[in-house]
Amino acid sequence: MGVTSITQEFSSPVAPERLFKALILDSNNLIPKLLPQSIKSVDLLQGDGGAGSIEQVNFTESSHFKYVKHQINELDKQNLVCKYTMIEGDALGDKLESIVYEIKFEASGINGAGCVCKMTSEYHTLGGYEVKEEEIKGGKESAMGIYKVVEAHLLENPHLYA
C-alpha cells in the first residue's frame, strides 16, 4: 500500500469559527442547499456527527459519482480541526483503499477577522499504484469550489453561524 500526501490552503476574509461551523458542523444541511445541482443529500448513517460517526454524501444524477461514505476520525471544536476518512464510494475506484483528510481553520488578518484553511489529503492506494497529480487536481478543484460557494454565502449573510 502506498501513501501520497497533498496539502493545499486558501485564505478567506471569513472568521475561522464561522467557516468551521458552516463547512464542518452544519455541512449536511448547508451544502445540499447551496449546491443542489451536485449534492442531493448528506445523511448521517451512524453516530451523532462527532468522532466515530459515518455520513454518506449522495450526489445528483449529473455527477460522475453516486455516493461516498466518510468516517469522522476527530472533531476538535476548540482548535477548529476535523479529520475524516473516505471509506467507501465509487470515487475511490479500484486503485484507492481510502483518502484521509485533515482540515484546519486558523485565524489570520487584522484581529483574526479572516482565516487560513489548510487541508491535507492522504491517498492510500492499493497494490503498487501511484496517484498522479492530474487525478488529484479534480478533487482539489471541487473542494475549492465548495469552499468558495460557502464563503460567498457567509459574506452575503454576516449573521449566519456568527
Side-chain angles (χ1 to χ4, degrees):
M1 182 178 84
V3 177
T4 302
S5 188
I6 304 289
T7 301
Q8 66 189 87
E9 60 180 68
F10 77 92
S11 298
S12 173
V14 177
E17 295 80 9
R18 290 184 67 212
L19 268 178
F20 183 79
K21 286 177 190 170
L23 279 167
I24 306 297
L25 301 181
D26 196 39
S27 61
N28 58 328
N29 295 312
L30 186 63
I31 304 294
K33 259 187 235 160
L34 295 181
L35 296 161
Q37 69 282 11
S38 308
I39 297 173
K40 194 186 298 180
S41 65
V42 180
D43 303 325
L44 189 61
L45 302 180
Q46 179 182 316
D48 60 3
S53 297
I54 296 176
E55 63 181 22
Q56 179 168 312
V57 179
N58 298 299
F59 300 102
T60 60
E61 288 73 28
S62 66
S63 173
H64 298 301
F65 305 116
K66 289 187 174 95
Y67 78 97
V68 293
K69 279 186 189 171
H70 294 146
Q71 179 165 15
I72 310 298
N73 305 336
E74 180 187 331
L75 188 62
D76 184 340
K77 296 177 187 176
Q78 295 298 113
N79 295 306
L80 309 179
V81 176
C82 179
K83 290 182 185 173
Y84 65 95
T85 304
M86 184 188 297
I87 55 170
E88 191 182 305
D90 45 5
L92 290 173
D94 57 357
K95 308 265 193 285
L96 292 171
E97 182 184 333
S98 62
I99 306 172
V100 179
Y101 300 95
E102 179 179 12
I103 305 170
K104 184 174 193 163
F105 298 86
E106 297 172 349
S108 71
I110 299 163
N111 301 325
C115 76
V116 173
C117 172
K118 294 180 181 169
M119 181 171 167
T120 303
S121 308
E122 249 180 38
Y123 294 79
H124 294 259
T125 60
L126 295 166
Y129 183 72
E130 290 287 322
V131 178
K132 312 230 179 346
E133 185 64 40
E134 57 269 16
E135 294 172 303
I136 293 168
K137 199 174 169 208
K140 283 167 68 171
E141 286 171 1
S142 78
M144 285 302 293
I146 292 169
Y147 287 142
K148 289 298 173 193
V149 167
V150 171
E151 177 188 80
H153 182 68
L154 295 179
L155 289 170
E156 287 167 16
N157 301 279
H159 61 284
L160 288 180
Y161 306 103

